[in-house]
Each structure stands twice: as structure tokens, then as C-alpha cells.
Amino acid sequence: MKPSLVTSLIAFANGAYAHGGVYSYEIDGVHYDGYKWFDPPDNQTNLMQRRWYYWPVQDPLSENITCNYNGAAVPSAFHAPVHAGHTITANWSNNYPFDKPGEPFYCDPAMTNRTCPAGFTCDFSCMYHHWYHGHGPLTAYLARCPPSPNGCSDANPSTLSWFKIAEEGLRPNHSITDAGAWMQGDLGATVDHAAPGWTVRIPARLRAGNYLIRHEILMIELDPPQFYPECAQLAIEGDGDAEPGQEYLVKFPGAYQWSDPGIKVSGTLYYPEGRATRNYTVPGPKIWTGEF
Ligand SMILES: [Cu+2]
């Protein structure tokens, strides 16, 4: 990393409220709440998502790169059903302290104090605001869990073999600093609080079973970069028999290095060499779709 006064000041300004993660999923029209990092895990049942914390992982070699801080299974072994070939949408939010666009509204980030300013309703919906960052790729991975009566909730995600099923990198004819260059920026749309999520397809021929899905936002505006990995349990159905070959499989940590071009570029966006960058290589392995 290259410490500088400029990036330190930006990092400070983009404080705790500028972070977040996946708060819910949609599969075939069904909404699934995610894990609420600000509520005790034992109060939360029927969750597909593993535990997470809103603060970004800032080291691609960290154990936390796999499934976030304390990416432990939740008390229930619930796996959301999804048919191979169908889609799953992840919905990101940050913790930015505004209740309505333009209206300052404070929510204690630890939610230890839920009192609110007069005239506001304070529940955890005050946490649900649009993704704050706009530079860097989105990726989605799957990993098959070993056979177990509890499915993936017994699995240690860092021992699993992950394969990438989707990515959204730099859009054509953009430099990495452009507004609109990244789908990540779309997640921050502020129309009636209706920011879009990101929808990915489960490979149609994938062998059925219990899988973890790992969504990741990588924010490259600052140095060090910010990784937001989130894992969730899926029961994938179907009669396919396809599985990715070894060349598609990676471990987390292990899949990323500081020297990966798509990571190394972090923090250069506002310097001449970075501003001119019009090619971006998304970190990680090539995508496996299961198609021939
Ligand atoms: Cu952030």
C-alpha cells in the first residue's frame, strides 16, 4: 500500500457510515432477510446468510476475505432453495446516516442506542440505505459443501473450493474514474429508496446440492482497497451433472494477491496514471458457466 495524506483524508471522510453489505436476497420472487449484524445472532432464525460485519476487509490475504468478519453459520441451518438456471438477487445497503435524501438522521452504528431525533421513526430500517461506493467490480462465487445433515452450516468456508459464476467489471469505453463506469455505482441509485440489487444466474447444468454463494464488492477508489464479501447458504436443485474443472477452483484466502492488477490499481484513480486506465482485470479465476 502507498500511504499518502490525500488518501488518508478521503478514508477519514468516508467513515463508518460509508460501509455496509448484503442485507437481503430475492430468489424466484421470494424475499429472504439477511443476517443483521447489529442484532444478537441467537435472535435470528431461518436465515440463509452467514454472519458479517459492516466494516470492509482491507487485506486480500486475510482470513476474513472468505466470508467476512466472523463468517460463522447462523443458528439455523436454513438453505434457500434455488433451481439451477434460475437467478438470485443480492441487495446491498450501507449504513449512511440519512433517513431521507438530504435529511440528516443519526443512527448509532452499533445500534446500542435506538433513540431517534424527534419526528423520526427509528428502527433498523434506518440502516437500509443505498450502497455508498461506486468504483470497482462485483463478483459472485459458489462453493459446494461436503455432505452433512446440516448442509453448509457445518462447512468451514476457507476449506471449500470456490468458482466464480459472474462478474461486473469496467464498462467498455470508460476509464476507471468515470461516473457510470461501474455497475457498483448503480447500487447507489437514490430514487424512492429503490436501489437495484445485482442478479446472477446459477449455472443451469450445475450438479444439485448444498452450496455457499459468496458475493463480493471490491471498492478500489482508496488504498488499501475495501472488500465486502458476504456468504449465504443455498440448496441448489436440478438434474444437471456439471462441475467446474480444477482450473476454475480457488481458495479464499488464496485467490487474490496484492500484485493482482485489479487490486494493485487501488488508490490511483485520481492520479494521472490511474485516471487514464481503460482496461481493468477483475481479480480471481475465470468465470464458469457450465456451458460447453
Ligand atoms: Cu465503505
PDB file of all heavy atoms in Angstrom, residues 160-175:
ATOM      1  N   LEU A 160     -13.218 -24.736   1.439  1.00  0.00           N
ATOM      2  CA  LEU A 160     -14.007 -25.086   0.254  1.00  0.00           C
ATOM      3  C   LEU A 160     -13.313 -24.642  -1.022  1.00  0.00           C
ATOM      4  O   LEU A 160     -12.440 -23.774  -1.009  1.00  0.00           O
ATOM      5  CB  LEU A 160     -15.396 -24.442   0.339  1.00  0.00           C
ATOM      6  CG  LEU A 160     -16.223 -24.803   1.579  1.00  0.00           C
ATOM      7  CD1 LEU A 160     -17.567 -24.075   1.541  1.00  0.00           C
ATOM      8  CD2 LEU A 160     -16.414 -26.306   1.709  1.00  0.00           C
ATOM      9  N   SER A 161     -13.731 -25.239  -2.122  1.00  0.00           N
ATOM     10  CA  SER A 161     -13.232 -24.865  -3.454  1.00  0.00           C
ATOM     11  C   SER A 161     -14.277 -23.975  -4.119  1.00  0.00           C
ATOM     12  O   SER A 161     -15.401 -24.411  -4.379  1.00  0.00           O
ATOM     13  CB  SER A 161     -12.994 -26.118  -4.299  1.00  0.00           C
ATOM     14  OG  SER A 161     -11.945 -26.881  -3.722  1.00  0.00           O
ATOM     15  N   TRP A 162     -13.880 -22.757  -4.368  1.00  0.00           N
ATOM     16  CA  TRP A 162     -14.794 -21.739  -4.886  1.00  0.00           C
ATOM     17  C   TRP A 162     -14.616 -21.576  -6.387  1.00  0.00           C
ATOM     18  O   TRP A 162     -13.497 -21.653  -6.904  1.00  0.00           O
ATOM     19  CB  TRP A 162     -14.511 -20.398  -4.215  1.00  0.00           C
ATOM     20  CG  TRP A 162     -14.768 -20.379  -2.746  1.00  0.00           C
ATOM     21  CD1 TRP A 162     -13.880 -20.708  -1.747  1.00  0.00           C
ATOM     22  CD2 TRP A 162     -15.994 -20.036  -2.084  1.00  0.00           C
ATOM     23  NE1 TRP A 162     -14.481 -20.578  -0.521  1.00  0.00           N
ATOM     24  CE2 TRP A 162     -15.774 -20.165  -0.685  1.00  0.00           C
ATOM     25  CE3 TRP A 162     -17.253 -19.614  -2.536  1.00  0.00           C
ATOM     26  CZ2 TRP A 162     -16.776 -19.893   0.255  1.00  0.00           C
ATOM     27  CZ3 TRP A 162     -18.238 -19.346  -1.599  1.00  0.00           C
ATOM     28  CH2 TRP A 162     -18.000 -19.492  -0.226  1.00  0.00           C
ATOM     29  N   PHE A 163     -15.709 -21.318  -7.085  1.00  0.00           N
ATOM     30  CA  PHE A 163     -15.626 -20.967  -8.508  1.00  0.00           C
ATOM     31  C   PHE A 163     -16.512 -19.759  -8.777  1.00  0.00           C
ATOM     32  O   PHE A 163     -17.548 -19.565  -8.156  1.00  0.00           O
ATOM     33  CB  PHE A 163     -16.001 -22.155  -9.415  1.00  0.00           C
ATOM     34  CG  PHE A 163     -17.328 -22.788  -9.130  1.00  0.00           C
ATOM     35  CD1 PHE A 163     -18.455 -22.446  -9.873  1.00  0.00           C
ATOM     36  CD2 PHE A 163     -17.462 -23.749  -8.145  1.00  0.00           C
ATOM     37  CE1 PHE A 163     -19.693 -23.029  -9.630  1.00  0.00           C
ATOM     38  CE2 PHE A 163     -18.702 -24.343  -7.884  1.00  0.00           C
ATOM     39  CZ  PHE A 163     -19.816 -23.983  -8.624  1.00  0.00           C
ATOM     40  N   LYS A 164     -16.019 -18.950  -9.697  1.00  0.00           N
ATOM     41  CA  LYS A 164     -16.702 -17.682  -9.999  1.00  0.00           C
ATOM     42  C   LYS A 164     -17.806 -17.938 -11.015  1.00  0.00           C
ATOM     43  O   LYS A 164     -17.561 -18.572 -12.042  1.00  0.00           O
ATOM     44  CB  LYS A 164     -15.681 -16.682 -10.547  1.00  0.00           C
ATOM     45  CG  LYS A 164     -16.224 -15.264 -10.729  1.00  0.00           C
ATOM     46  CD  LYS A 164     -15.248 -14.398 -11.509  1.00  0.00           C
ATOM     47  CE  LYS A 164     -14.147 -13.835 -10.644  1.00  0.00           C
ATOM     48  NZ  LYS A 164     -13.160 -13.055 -11.443  1.00  0.00           N
ATOM     49  N   ILE A 165     -19.014 -17.429 -10.724  1.00  0.00           N
ATOM     50  CA  ILE A 165     -20.126 -17.609 -11.668  1.00  0.00           C
ATOM     51  C   ILE A 165     -20.518 -16.314 -12.368  1.00  0.00           C
ATOM     52  O   ILE A 165     -21.253 -16.351 -13.357  1.00  0.00           O
ATOM     53  CB  ILE A 165     -21.372 -18.233 -10.992  1.00  0.00           C
ATOM     54  CG1 ILE A 165     -21.876 -17.366  -9.830  1.00  0.00           C
ATOM     55  CG2 ILE A 165     -21.059 -19.662 -10.536  1.00  0.00           C
ATOM     56  CD1 ILE A 165     -23.272 -17.766  -9.342  1.00  0.00           C
ATOM     57  N   ALA A 166     -20.061 -15.174 -11.867  1.00  0.00           N
ATOM     58  CA  ALA A 166     -20.440 -13.905 -12.516  1.00  0.00           C
ATOM     59  C   ALA A 166     -19.505 -12.800 -12.051  1.00  0.00           C
ATOM     60  O   ALA A 166     -18.953 -12.867 -10.944  1.00  0.00           O
ATOM     61  CB  ALA A 166     -21.881 -13.531 -12.169  1.00  0.00           C
ATOM     62  N   GLU A 167     -19.327 -11.814 -12.917  1.00  0.00           N
ATOM     63  CA  GLU A 167     -18.590 -10.612 -12.527  1.00  0.00           C
ATOM     64  C   GLU A 167     -19.091  -9.433 -13.332  1.00  0.00           C
ATOM     65  O   GLU A 167     -19.617  -9.587 -14.434  1.00  0.00           O
ATOM     66  CB  GLU A 167     -17.074 -10.795 -12.732  1.00  0.00           C
ATOM     67  CG  GLU A 167     -16.667 -10.936 -14.178  1.00  0.00           C
ATOM     68  CD  GLU A 167     -15.180 -11.221 -14.368  1.00  0.00           C
ATOM     69  OE1 GLU A 167     -14.560 -11.811 -13.464  1.00  0.00           O
ATOM     70  OE2 GLU A 167     -14.660 -10.864 -15.441  1.00  0.00           O
ATOM     71  N   GLU A 168     -18.942  -8.252 -12.747  1.00  0.00           N
ATOM     72  CA  GLU A 168     -19.249  -6.992 -13.441  1.00  0.00           C
ATOM     73  C   GLU A 168     -18.033  -6.104 -13.275  1.00  0.00           C
ATOM     74  O   GLU A 168     -17.790  -5.566 -12.197  1.00  0.00           O
ATOM     75  CB  GLU A 168     -20.470  -6.301 -12.822  1.00  0.00           C
ATOM     76  CG  GLU A 168     -21.776  -7.026 -13.037  1.00  0.00           C
ATOM     77  CD  GLU A 168     -22.301  -6.926 -14.457  1.00  0.00           C
ATOM     78  OE1 GLU A 168     -21.841  -6.047 -15.218  1.00  0.00           O
ATOM     79  OE2 GLU A 168     -23.179  -7.735 -14.798  1.00  0.00           O
ATOM     80  N   GLY A 169     -17.270  -5.993 -14.335  1.00  0.00           N
ATOM     81  CA  GLY A 169     -16.061  -5.190 -14.283  1.00  0.00           C
ATOM     82  C   GLY A 169     -16.278  -3.809 -14.883  1.00  0.00           C
ATOM     83  O   GLY A 169     -17.397  -3.276 -14.885  1.00  0.00           O
ATOM     84  N   LEU A 170     -15.193  -3.253 -15.402  1.00  0.00           N
ATOM     85  CA  LEU A 170     -15.260  -1.913 -16.003  1.00  0.00           C
ATOM     86  C   LEU A 170     -16.069  -1.966 -17.295  1.00  0.00           C
ATOM     87  O   LEU A 170     -15.840  -2.827 -18.140  1.00  0.00           O
ATOM     88  CB  LEU A 170     -13.835  -1.424 -16.292  1.00  0.00           C
ATOM     89  CG  LEU A 170     -13.706  -0.033 -16.882  1.00  0.00           C
ATOM     90  CD1 LEU A 170     -14.165   1.037 -15.891  1.00  0.00           C
ATOM     91  CD2 LEU A 170     -12.246   0.218 -17.291  1.00  0.00           C
ATOM     92  N   ARG A 171     -17.007  -1.031 -17.432  1.00  0.00           N
ATOM     93  CA  ARG A 171     -17.803  -0.994 -18.654  1.00  0.00           C
ATOM     94  C   ARG A 171     -16.951  -0.513 -19.834  1.00  0.00           C
ATOM     95  O   ARG A 171     -16.032   0.292 -19.648  1.00  0.00           O
ATOM     96  CB  ARG A 171     -19.010  -0.086 -18.460  1.00  0.00           C
ATOM     97  CG  ARG A 171     -20.042  -0.735 -17.549  1.00  0.00           C
ATOM     98  CD  ARG A 171     -21.125   0.205 -17.125  1.00  0.00           C
ATOM     99  NE  ARG A 171     -22.218  -0.531 -16.493  1.00  0.00           N
ATOM    100  CZ  ARG A 171     -23.042  -0.020 -15.583  1.00  0.00           C
ATOM    101  NH1 ARG A 171     -22.922   1.241 -15.204  1.00  0.00           N
ATOM    102  NH2 ARG A 171     -23.993  -0.754 -15.065  1.00  0.00           N
ATOM    103  N   PRO A 172     -17.264  -0.991 -21.042  1.00  0.00           N
ATOM    104  CA  PRO A 172     -16.479  -0.597 -22.216  1.00  0.00           C
ATOM    105  C   PRO A 172     -16.506   0.917 -22.416  1.00  0.00           C
ATOM    106  O   PRO A 172     -17.486   1.587 -22.093  1.00  0.00           O
ATOM    107  CB  PRO A 172     -17.189  -1.303 -23.379  1.00  0.00           C
ATOM    108  CG  PRO A 172     -17.967  -2.412 -22.753  1.00  0.00           C
ATOM    109  CD  PRO A 172     -18.333  -1.938 -21.371  1.00  0.00           C
ATOM    110  N   ASN A 173     -15.416   1.429 -22.948  1.00  0.00           N
ATOM    111  CA  ASN A 173     -15.311   2.847 -23.296  1.00  0.00           C
ATOM    112  C   ASN A 173     -15.423   3.769 -22.094  1.00  0.00           C
ATOM    113  O   ASN A 173     -15.951   4.874 -22.192  1.00  0.00           O
ATOM    114  CB  ASN A 173     -16.365   3.230 -24.346  1.00  0.00           C
ATOM    115  CG  ASN A 173     -16.292   2.345 -25.564  1.00  0.00           C
ATOM    116  OD1 ASN A 173     -15.198   2.132 -26.105  1.00  0.00           O
ATOM    117  ND2 ASN A 173     -17.412   1.801 -25.984  1.00  0.00           N
ATOM    118  N   HIS A 174     -14.963   3.305 -20.955  1.00  0.00           N
ATOM    119  CA  HIS A 174     -14.880   4.139 -19.768  1.00  0.00           C
ATOM    120  C   HIS A 174     -13.470   4.040 -19.201  1.00  0.00           C
ATOM    121  O   HIS A 174     -12.804   3.024 -19.349  1.00  0.00           O
ATOM    122  CB  HIS A 174     -15.847   3.673 -18.688  1.00  0.00           C
ATOM    123  CG  HIS A 174     -17.282   3.978 -18.972  1.00  0.00           C
ATOM    124  ND1 HIS A 174     -18.079   3.189 -19.761  1.00  0.00           N
ATOM    125  CD2 HIS A 174     -18.070   4.998 -18.544  1.00  0.00           C
ATOM    126  CE1 HIS A 174     -19.290   3.702 -19.822  1.00  0.00           C
ATOM    127  NE2 HIS A 174     -19.311   4.805 -19.093  1.00  0.00           N
ATOM    128  N   SER A 175     -13.055   5.093 -18.512  1.00  0.00           N
ATOM    129  CA  SER A 175     -11.874   4.966 -17.672  1.00  0.00           C
ATOM    130  C   SER A 175     -12.359   4.638 -16.262  1.00  0.00           C
ATOM    131  O   SER A 175     -13.535   4.844 -15.932  1.00  0.00           O
ATOM    132  CB  SER A 175     -11.045   6.250 -17.680  1.00  0.00           C
ATOM    133  OG  SER A 175     -11.465   7.099 -16.632  1.00  0.00           O
TER     134      SER A 175
END
